[in-house]
Amino acid sequence: MHEPRRVAEEEIISQCKTGSLRHQELLYKQFYGYAMGIGLRYSLNRDDALEVVNDAFIKVFNAINNFNSDRPFKAWLRTIIVNTAIDRRRKDLKFQLNVELENAMPVINANAIENLNAEDILKLLKELPPLQLAIFNLYEIDGYSHDEIGQLLAIPISSSRVYLSRAKERLRNVIRSEEQRHGRSVR
């Protein structure tokens, strides 16, 4: 039953390749929610995410003739959005590379996060500094390796590992502090 939508998607993409503004708008509308979901994970706020999404769609429309229709469009779009978000943050991230390691805190139950909904998790992620947020998203959510992250962000592989560790520790601390503030366990 997915076939009609697939045909519509193929037709929209085909028309985008001819430069049809109407079809570009249709493509944007059809994938806006998906794109914003990705953009929000890599951005500090909704406005930043919207800029990432809009910049990514401009890249999509400029490169649509390079899209290989044998591959899923969503995967191609996702790569462009992630790379756009990383490019946008790269300048800011370089300035944070010399931050000293934070003091280690005792580890809380790592399963606490499984009881949170998606909105709670997004709020927790917004507590991370931009570099930690980017690395956490790339590694834990999008499945990039530390080698790939190092290349994307132009940082040593060991730094990717350190910042991922810091991000996880910071998330644990935020969860712990929320538990104490509300006098209850998130678990």
Side-chain angles (χ1 to χ4, degrees), residues 75-115:
W76 187 68
L77 175 63
R78 181 174 167 260
T79 300
I80 291 173
I81 296 166
V82 168
N83 288 338
T84 301
I86 294 301
D87 290 345
R88 183 171 168 74
R89 306 283 334 151
R90 187 173 283 148
K91 186 175 123 181
D92 295 335
L93 299 176
K94 285 183 180 180
F95 294 112
Q96 296 178 15
L97 290 176
N98 295 323
V99 177
E100 290 185 31
L101 285 172
E102 299 167 9
N103 292 331
M105 298 288 283
V107 176
I108 63 167
N109 181 348
N111 295 328
I113 204 160
E114 72 187 26
N115 293 321

Side-chain angles (χ1 to χ4, degrees), residues 16-149:
C16 284
K17 288 182 177 185
T18 69
S20 167
L21 295 177
R22 184 174 145 268
H23 286 88
Q24 288 178 354
E25 182 180 349
L26 288 173
L27 188 74
Y28 181 89
K29 287 179 179 178
Q30 184 168 337
F31 289 98
Y32 173 80
Y34 174 75
M36 275 301 283
I38 296 166
L40 284 167
R41 285 192 286 118
Y42 285 90
S43 303
L44 299 176
N45 57 52
R46 191 165 189 80
D47 290 339
D48 287 347
L50 184 58
E51 285 185 36
V52 164
V53 167
N54 287 336
D55 289 349
F57 271 104
I58 289 170
K59 291 177 183 178
V60 164
F61 298 137
N62 288 334
I64 194 82
N65 288 321
N66 298 327
F67 170 65
N68 177 354
S69 57
D70 293 337
R71 293 187 53 218
F73 179 76
K74 273 186 164 182
W76 187 68
L77 175 63
R78 181 174 167 260
T79 300
I80 291 173
I81 296 166
V82 168
N83 288 338
T84 301
I86 294 301
D87 290 345
R88 183 171 168 74
R89 306 283 334 151
R90 187 173 283 148
K91 186 175 123 181
D92 295 335
L93 299 176
K94 285 183 180 180
F95 294 112
Q96 296 178 15
L97 290 176
N98 295 323
V99 177
E100 290 185 31
L101 285 172
E102 299 167 9
N103 292 331
M105 298 288 283
V107 176
I108 63 167
N109 181 348
N111 295 328
I113 204 160
E114 72 187 26
N115 293 321
L116 301 174
N117 65 35
E119 187 176 318
D120 293 334
I121 292 170
L122 282 175
K123 284 179 188 174
L124 285 173
L125 291 176
K126 297 303 177 204
E127 297 290 326
L128 295 175
L131 181 60
Q132 292 177 14
L133 175 64
I135 292 173
F136 183 86
N137 277 320
L138 286 167
Y139 187 84
E140 293 293 341
I141 298 173
D142 291 321
Y144 284 80
S145 70
H146 287 293
D147 289 340
E148 293 167 322
I149 294 169

